Amino acid sequence: MDARDTDLKKELDATLHARRELGEEYEFALVDSFLEKVDQRIDGAVERRVRRQIAEQQMQTARDSRSPGATDSWGERFGFGIVSLVLAVPLSAIGGGVGHLPGLLTAWAGIVGVNVVQAARTNPGLFGGRRKSSRNGDWED
């Protein structure tokens, strides 16, 4: 029994004591007063639960909106790949023409590096990091 239950028990005892002292003519008023206090207690408990559930939903929504996968669509990833390949042609020509083989390798190292960073950003568990379990929603190592 917690403090709220003991308070309610004290209220009930006080109501019953007042009924014994005042008589049956005040019984309805005393019962109505006690029931109003019980209703307030229930309303408060329901309000706290609803607020807690709303807060939990808002926290979950905020977590979901911050995850990179929630905002990155397949089209965005596909578009990034296409742009990367289109830009690879002139970068390869410039790197190969100016720096020969080392320049070409440097250009392609940059292209691959940018794509690896993009892949790691859109798929956090891709390179051996922590992965989110699809079974229970908890993080697993």
Side-chain angles (χ1 to χ4, degrees), residues 2-124:
D2 63 0
R4 290 177 286 171
D5 290 339
T6 57
D7 290 344
L8 195 58
K9 187 177 184 314
K10 287 178 185 177
E11 289 287 337
L12 179 59
D13 288 341
T15 301
L16 292 175
H17 182 70
R19 192 241 180 230
R20 280 191 291 265
E21 285 184 7
L22 297 174
E24 289 186 20
E25 58 269 0
Y26 291 101
E27 183 174 346
F28 289 115
L30 292 170
V31 169
D32 284 343
S33 172
F34 178 74
L35 289 178
E36 187 175 321
K37 291 174 185 175
V38 171
D39 281 343
Q40 289 173 353
R41 184 74 49 90
I42 291 171
D43 288 345
V46 169
E47 187 177 332
R48 282 189 301 275
R49 284 184 188 161
V50 168
R51 272 194 257 131
R52 187 178 334 119
Q53 287 177 346
I54 289 172
E56 288 172 0
Q57 288 173 351
Q58 289 173 342
M59 290 293 290
Q60 186 64 36
T61 301
R63 280 189 212 117
D64 291 345
S65 68
R66 280 189 292 180
S67 66
T71 59
D72 296 331
S73 66
W74 179 85
E76 182 181 346
R77 292 189 309 265
F78 183 73
F80 188 84
I82 294 294
V83 168
S84 177
L85 289 175
V86 167
L87 291 177
V89 173
L91 288 174
S92 298
I94 293 169
V98 172
H100 303 289
L101 184 60
L104 181 64
L105 293 177
T106 302
W108 274 96
I111 293 166
V112 170
V114 166
N115 281 284
V116 166
V117 168
Q118 175 68 7
R121 187 182 75 80
T122 58
N123 303 309

